[in-house]
Amino acid sequence: MKPIKYLFFLMFALVTFASCDTYGDYEQEFAPTYPLGGQYYVKVLDENNQEIVMHQMTSDGVTYNVYGTYMYLYNTAENDKDKLWIKLPSDDSFDAGILGKISCDVTARTFSGTAGNMEADGHTVVGEFTVTSGVMTEKSVTTPTNGKADGIEVKYTLNGKTYTVKGFRWTAWDEDETWYSPV
């Protein structure tokens, strides 16, 4: 019986030590446009500094104007470190969306440029747009859930109208997405 116990102990020791293979720490890789890139929850203001209704929703018989939407900044297919894509989708009640490739300065956390609009999400906006100033500031916004998030502000011109986009990096908390009010 003793040889069987030694055999089990030996097998246990071999399995234990064989499974303790250690690996080095993996280095996290980021896109060249990091930390600008990401999804932002934003509201859009018109030339009179009035919030634009992005769309309407109905819940329990009450119709709400929804002011918040998502804006996206992401790297190019070429992984350029001085260019990024900007996307602010249009929908049925908001036709001033933008989608195009513009210049960026990752170190300064800024971006700007002119691009021709492309079709996005089934909506096409005719005309070039110009981002005159775009800036991301790290941990500068206190969200509705009292957290800190990266802030973003973008000014752009499309078809002779100037818009301002303000918001913060998407937090995934539903409570942070509360920019709506009853009609």
Side-chain angles (χ1 to χ4, degrees), residues 86 100-103 111-117 127-132 157:
I86 184 170
K101 194 185 314 185
I102 59 175
S103 299
F111 49 96
S112 62
T114 299
N117 248 342
E128 283 189 338
F129 69 90
T130 300
V131 174
T132 54
T157 304

Side-chain angles (χ1 to χ4, degrees), residues 93-121:
S93 60
F94 176 69
D95 64 353
I98 56 175
L99 174 63
K101 194 185 314 185
I102 59 175
S103 299
C104 68
D105 181 344
V106 175
T107 306
R109 310 290 194 257
T110 60
F111 49 96
S112 62
T114 299
N117 248 342
M118 304 175 72
E119 182 175 333
D121 303 326

Side-chain angles (χ1 to χ4, degrees), residues 47-68:
E47 293 172 311
N48 299 319
N49 218 24
Q50 298 295 311
E51 293 180 18
I52 295 176
V53 174
M54 304 310 286
H55 64 276
Q56 289 187 333
M57 69 176 193
T58 302
S59 176
D60 297 328
V62 178
T63 301
Y64 295 91
N65 286 333
V66 178
Y67 297 97

